[in-house]
Amino acid sequence: MMSKTNADLPLVAVIILNWADEAATIACVRSVQASTYRNTHIYVVDNGATAQTQVALAEIAPLVEMIPLAENQGYTGGNNAAMRRALETNAKYCILLNNDAVMPPDTLEKLVAEAELHPEFAIVSPMIREAGRDTYEVTGYQLALNGRSVINTTDPEESQRWQRESPKTFLFVGTAMMIRTDVLRQVGLLDERLFAYCEDADICLRCIEAGYLIRVLPDCEVLHEPKP
């Protein structure tokens, strides 16, 4: 069974990219399955799939739609493979969820509620908390004055201030980005030339150029394994 459904709710395509980290991917899928939001379809992209990875992911295969890719197509190509499928369905949103992130049960419900209230938000994301810690990994990014680089903050209050005062220069990272599918049809998918870096900032900028804004919720989070 790939979906938890309630026909009255917008369909959310949850896209999780696996690359040689099957245990994390399984934990990520299980956290989505525990969500209080009741209309999801989970895609797991096995990037550079092998017989071994398929065996390792067998326990979640009945719960998700598996997309095995024979070659590693990077973060961009892997996620795009699933987004193309989602665009062929009636999904209203796609959330790109890192496989080393865990989603608390109410996160998706909060993201959808905010997006439904604010059609001007192309991308709605939670704050990224470091797993097992009280600290945030990131709460927002802002374009620097030179327009060619970004600065980030781990302070939730500063993130909210940036969003209020400079909404057209506010960006976010791809750990758990929920994107409107109608906006994806306008601005395009991830730029596959970027492979695995800066693709999140790029799509944020394309959304802003198309007249939309990026929103990060202060009372919503995912837990992400801290970088070593």
Side-chain angles (χ1 to χ4, degrees):
M1 180 171 141
M2 290 179 278
S3 303
K4 296 194 302 183
T5 61
N6 182 323
D8 296 329
L9 299 172
L11 176 61
V12 179
V14 181
I15 298 171
I16 301 167
L17 187 64
N18 178 72
W19 186 69
D21 195 359
E22 290 75 34
T25 297
I26 290 169
C28 182
V29 168
R30 295 294 184 189
S31 75
V32 177
Q33 283 287 307
S35 173
T36 57
Y37 190 76
R38 305 304 300 179
N39 196 11
T40 61
H41 187 95
I42 304 173
Y43 298 86
V44 171
V45 182
D46 192 4
N47 222 1
T50 65
Q52 290 80 9
T53 63
Q54 291 175 52
V55 168
L57 295 171
E59 71 175 84
I60 57 169
L63 307 174
V64 306
E65 181 173 340
M66 297 293 303
I67 303 177
L69 301 178
E71 296 181 357
N72 177 10
Q73 297 183 21
Y75 185 86
T76 54
N79 278 303
N80 281 351
M83 282 195 284
R84 289 188 186 99
R85 291 204 190 181
L87 289 174
E88 294 172 354
T89 72
N90 64 339
K92 189 171 183 179
Y93 303 101
C94 289
I95 182 166
L96 309 184
L97 183 62
N98 277 22
N99 75 319
D100 58 353
V102 172
M103 180 181 287
D106 62 349
T107 296
L108 197 52
E109 192 169 356
K110 289 178 177 179
L111 293 176
V112 174
E114 183 77 0
E116 289 290 285
L117 284 174
H118 296 281
E120 71 273 22
F121 296 149
I123 298 173
V124 181
S125 296
M127 301 216 178
I128 312 304
R129 183 185 290 277
E130 294 183 337
R133 302 179 185 177
D134 293 330
T135 54
Y136 287 102
E137 182 178 305
V138 64
T139 62
Y141 281 78
Q142 189 175 54
L143 275 177
L145 292 177
N146 61 18
R148 297 181 180 180
S149 59
V150 295
I151 55 176
N152 70 68
T153 181
T154 59
D155 181 348
E157 292 186 4
E158 185 170 37
S159 170
Q160 294 304 299
R161 180 173 60 81
W162 285 356
Q163 292 178 73
R164 288 193 308 270
E165 297 178 1
S166 306
K168 293 186 178 180
T169 60
F170 183 80
L171 314 175
F172 205 58
V173 295
T175 306
M177 299 175 72
M178 193 180 79
I179 312 172
R180 295 180 182 276
T181 56
D182 59 348
V183 174
L184 285 173
R185 291 186 175 95
Q186 284 183 254
V187 306
L189 303 181
L190 301 177
D191 187 338
E192 296 190 15
R193 295 171 299 178
L194 298 173
F195 196 74
Y197 296 99
C198 302
E199 72 294 324
D200 40 13
D202 173 73
I203 198 167
C204 284
L205 288 171
R206 282 188 277 138
C207 289
I208 290 169
E209 288 173 356
Y212 296 94
L213 299 175
I214 312 304
R215 172 70 169 154
V216 176
L217 301 189
D219 62 343
C220 183
E221 63 185 29
V222 295
L223 308 179
H224 190 226
E225 285 299 323
K227 295 179 176 64

